[in-house]
Amino acid sequence: MLSDVATLDSKNTNAIPHDRIDKSHKRVLIIEDLGEMRLMLKSYMTSLGFSNIDVEPSGQSAIKRILEKHYDVVLSDYNLGGSIDGQQILETSRKNHSQDHSTIFIMITADTAYESVVNVLEYQPDSYLVKPFPPAAFFRRFERVQKQKEVFEGINAARKNKDFDGMELQAKAIMQQSPNLASQCLKIIGESLYAKGRYKDAKSHYMLIVQKNKKLAWAHYGIALCELKIGAITAAITKLEQTIDLSRHFLSAYDLLTDAHEELGNLNDAQLVMSKVLEVSPRSTDRAVRLAQISMQLNDWGTAEQAYSRVIRLTRDTSYEKVEHYYEYLKCLTNLMSSGADNSKYADKFKRALIRLRSFGKTNPSALSNSFRIEIQQYLTRDHTGEAIKSWKQWNRLIKSGQASALSNAQKHTLKKRLGLL
């Protein structure tokens, strides 16, 4: 499906298909940071009969749209120039099921490196085009994907209705009629068996596939899923490691491997896996948060601080920016200072993050109170009792005005005792 790649000149405007079936009710989303390319893609879709077309210039705004509504077609540039790329948009839409299997997702990229990894990615687009490409290549590719979606239309309907027996039967029928679609059909059969809770049968299904082709990462991953369900955690870990060896871009394998290590209490191994996946997917905020949380459990404040620093950098001025991230980051910095680390270096970081937290969370009384709580703790860690008392007095004024959340009498007594005010 992804083997024929268009790399021709984009100036030829011939070969627009003459399919005029009414598509005005279909929703299209174009995600592209270059204005000229956005206009060109929109004109292509308009010529195909689509009129309900949304356009987004950034990955951040595109993810918000994708999570809010269903689209029939998504055309996304791979490298959007911000903190979120096209592959992350595809992963988010598939993992959150915001776009079902009927959605056509085509990746558009000028990055030739994408060609070398797309066939081993866990979340693959339905097709992709390498810039520059002529209109003829776009329309030819789009028509091919449409036809394939039609073949699997019945399976997609059965999936929505949780008719897993129907999915399995249809997949077997398609595989007989179209051997070139065998890989997709085998995936669907495994998905159906797993969804029905037939984990041993699903495992046997995936194992037969692996016997014929040991390099199919998704089949190894399927075995691991089944192993976890039947309680064979150690065996699952082995399979997940094989999955990653076969495809270092199979991101869910890292997530599941981390789950397995945590289940066994192997926090150091879980931390290592999260560190490795962030080398492959450095813009993943969820995984950076997870690395930070695991590191905090290990009292590895240096790794936790770096992970939260990454989260704050990636989410700043986006809908994913959270006061909790700043608070946890400040806790990491405080613990680093209490362990004898370079106080001046971390104190500067602390001050900048605290200013941002109070600006970002200024209308959140709980966030403001937490900011003062951690500030006082930081001052006491550095033996700056006078500064800690000043911070408490400022905090107390905000509590009285209702801008910061109140403390219980017991909490207030404990705090004043630590400050030497009793």
Side-chain angles (χ1 to χ4, degrees):
M1 177 177 64
L2 297 173
S3 58
D4 54 331
V5 183
T7 57
L8 304 176
D9 182 25
S10 62
K11 294 181 180 178
N12 179 9
T13 56
N14 298 322
I16 294 176
H18 298 288
D19 178 9
R20 295 303 177 194
I21 298 171
D22 180 25
K23 297 169 186 169
S24 59
H25 65 288
K26 301 282 187 180
R27 288 186 177 275
V28 176
L29 176 61
I30 295 170
I31 311 163
E32 171 60 63
D33 58 338
L34 299 178
E36 185 179 348
M37 193 69 183
R38 286 198 298 272
L39 290 172
M40 186 178 77
L41 292 172
K42 187 171 183 180
S43 71
Y44 288 175
M45 297 309 292
T46 301
S47 72
L48 287 171
F50 295 94
S51 58
N52 195 349
I53 303 172
D54 291 331
V55 178
E56 287 294 347
S58 73
Q60 179 64 41
S61 55
I63 281 185
K64 185 176 180 182
R65 277 196 186 266
I66 273 179
L67 294 176
E68 287 176 348
K69 65 174 74 168
H70 173 266
Y71 286 97
D72 300 281
V73 181
V74 178
L75 307 177
S76 178
D77 186 44
Y78 172 63
N79 192 346
L80 293 164
S83 60
I84 294 175
D85 61 29
Q87 193 64 33
Q88 287 173 279
I89 293 169
L90 174 59
E91 180 184 348
T92 299
S93 67
R94 297 278 171 85
K95 285 183 75 172
N96 289 278
H97 307 289
S98 57
Q99 307 303 308
D100 61 34
H101 287 73
S102 65
T103 298
I104 292 174
F105 196 111
I106 296 178
M107 196 75 74
I108 297 167
T109 178
D111 190 346
T112 54
Y114 189 74
E115 294 181 68
S116 64
V117 302
V118 64
N119 286 309
V120 294
L121 288 170
E122 175 190 0
Y123 296 103
Q124 296 181 353
D126 295 298
S127 191
Y128 74 104
L129 287 158
V130 176
K131 301 175 186 176
F133 53 85
F138 176 85
F139 294 123
R140 187 168 58 247
R141 191 66 54 82
F142 191 82
E143 184 177 8
R144 187 178 302 132
V145 174
Q146 273 190 312
K147 287 180 178 178
Q148 185 164 303
K149 288 292 184 183
E150 289 170 6
V151 171
F152 289 98
E153 188 175 351
I155 289 176
N156 291 333
R159 184 184 279 111
K160 286 181 182 179
N161 294 324
K162 300 188 184 302
D163 178 10
F164 303 117
D165 287 328
M167 283 175 63
E168 187 177 346
L169 288 171
Q170 289 184 67
K172 289 177 179 177
I174 291 171
M175 191 161 52
Q176 285 185 332
Q177 296 169 6
S178 306
N180 61 308
L181 300 176
S183 181
Q184 292 98 309
C185 292
L186 289 170
K187 280 186 182 180
I188 291 165
I189 293 168
E191 176 192 344
S192 304
L193 291 169
Y194 184 86
K196 288 187 285 186
R198 292 171 55 186
Y199 305 123
K200 291 183 178 179
D201 290 337
K203 178 184 171 182
S204 297
H205 169 74
Y206 288 123
M207 288 182 73
L208 285 172
I209 295 169
V210 168
Q211 285 176 12
K212 294 179 181 178
N213 189 341
K214 291 182 172 59
K215 294 185 177 181
L216 290 177
W218 60 265
H220 287 276
Y221 181 74
I223 294 171
L225 283 171
C226 299
E227 297 280 24
L228 286 174
K229 284 294 185 180
I230 60 180
I233 300 176
T234 303
I237 286 173
T238 300
K239 275 297 169 190
L240 290 166
E241 288 172 343
Q242 289 176 355
T243 303
I244 293 167
D245 286 342
L246 289 166
S247 173
R248 67 186 293 265
H249 295 87
F250 206 111
L251 302 181
S252 288
Y254 294 90
D255 298 334
L256 206 60
L257 183 54
T258 303
D259 291 342
H261 281 309
E262 284 193 296
E263 183 82 12
L264 295 178
N266 302 332
L267 290 183
N268 286 299
D269 291 328
Q271 183 192 48
L272 180 60
V273 174
M274 277 293 104
S275 296
K276 286 182 176 178
V277 73
L278 283 168
E279 292 174 8
V280 180
S281 180
R283 298 178 183 179
S284 174
T285 55
D286 289 343
R287 294 184 179 99
V289 168
R290 190 170 187 187
L291 173 60
Q293 291 171 341
I294 293 170
S295 300
M296 290 174 80
Q297 291 181 67
L298 291 167
N299 292 327
D300 182 353
W301 302 108
T303 301
E305 184 269 332
Q306 290 173 11
Y308 271 123
S309 178
R310 183 197 299 249
V311 172
I312 287 169
R313 185 174 64 254
L314 290 171
T315 60
R316 184 168 178 136
D317 295 322
T318 74
S319 60
Y320 294 94
E321 188 174 20
K322 296 179 180 178
V323 294
E324 293 85 355
H325 295 157
Y326 286 95
Y327 184 63
E328 295 300 313
Y329 178 57
L330 292 169
K331 281 169 63 176
C332 294
L333 292 169
T334 300
N335 278 283
L336 280 168
M337 286 185 276
S338 68
S339 66
D342 183 351
N343 279 7
S344 60
K345 170 185 172 184
Y346 292 116
D348 287 342
K349 287 186 175 184
F350 189 99
K351 184 177 180 181
R352 290 195 298 270
L354 186 68
I355 290 170
R356 178 61 182 174
L357 170 58
R358 287 181 178 161
S359 171
F360 178 62
K362 61 186 176 183
T363 59
N364 184 332
S366 177
L368 281 178
S369 276
N370 281 333
S371 77
F372 281 100
R373 183 179 286 110
I374 194 66
E375 182 183 35
I376 290 170
Q377 184 181 339
Q378 175 260 159
Y379 279 135
L380 292 175
T381 293
R382 298 166 60 203
D383 294 324
H384 291 183
T385 306
E387 294 297 326
I389 292 172
K390 286 181 184 178
S391 181
W392 159 242
K393 289 180 178 178
Q394 183 184 357
W395 182 10
N396 197 37
R397 286 195 295 271
L398 291 173
I399 290 173
K400 289 178 179 178
S401 68
Q403 293 174 265
S405 57
L407 298 175
S408 67
N409 289 332
Q411 289 173 325
K412 190 179 291 187
H413 179 84
T414 301
L415 180 59
K416 285 186 173 181
K417 188 174 181 180
R418 288 189 67 194
L419 293 171
L421 297 176
L422 292 178

